[in-house]
Amino acid sequence: MFRRLDDAISVYGQLLPADVAEAKAQGFTTLVNNRPDGEEAGQPEGGTIREAAEAAGLDYHAIPIGHGGFSEASVAAMAQVLGEAEGPVLAFCRSGTRSTLLWALARSTMGDSGADLAEKAAGAGYDLGPIRGHIG
């Protein structure tokens, strides 16, 4: 179900409020929503997922990545979440791709090598090609 990038983070497509219990059961402590509200009809609002996360005792962060792409602020926010999380993080968007790319950009600013990040992403079925020139 969730795609593991490494011990600290996994990614997923659109998380539903009902999926929060499964995330908790699998040991995640933090959820990161990388999907802007209203991106697609029928998509649950971030506030609904936030409520489910808080009810389950999980930390919740919204770092939406829309059509404008990644910004320094979104990369810094993701690096901060990764650095402060007190257990495994589950990041989600529509397919898991934006979450993976944002994770790689953030980890690169934290000193991880581009080759290691690319290998981890590929192991979960994601390609860092679109950002390869921006990671170490």
Side-chain angles (χ1 to χ4, degrees):
M1 179 174 180
F2 306 128
R3 293 184 181 191
R4 182 181 170 277
L5 297 173
D6 64 23
D7 290 343
I9 188 167
S10 294
V11 296
Y12 191 57
Q14 178 62 60
L15 195 73
L16 301 174
D19 297 325
V20 172
E22 180 61 25
K24 174 78 172 182
Q26 289 192 29
F28 293 100
T29 62
T30 303
L31 299 181
V32 179
N33 182 354
N34 296 132
R35 194 163 191 204
D37 282 342
E39 184 176 57
E40 186 173 71
Q43 161 192 343
E45 294 291 314
T48 303
I49 299 169
R50 175 189 294 276
E51 289 172 8
E54 290 173 351
L58 300 175
D59 290 334
Y60 175 92
H61 301 273
I63 308 172
I65 306 298
H67 296 295
F70 305 98
S71 67
E72 287 183 28
S74 62
V75 173
M78 186 65 161
Q80 182 173 355
V81 169
L82 294 172
E84 294 176 356
E86 296 183 7
V89 173
L90 177 61
F92 66 94
C93 56
R94 188 181 62 79
S95 68
T97 300
R98 278 176 283 183
S99 295
T100 300
L101 297 177
L102 182 59
W103 159 80
L105 289 165
R107 289 302 314 179
S108 178
T109 69
M110 298 167 81
D112 291 19
S113 80
D116 287 345
L117 294 167
E119 184 178 330
K120 289 177 180 182
Y126 294 100
D127 177 17
L128 299 185
I131 61 163
R132 193 64 178 100
H134 300 281
I135 57 175

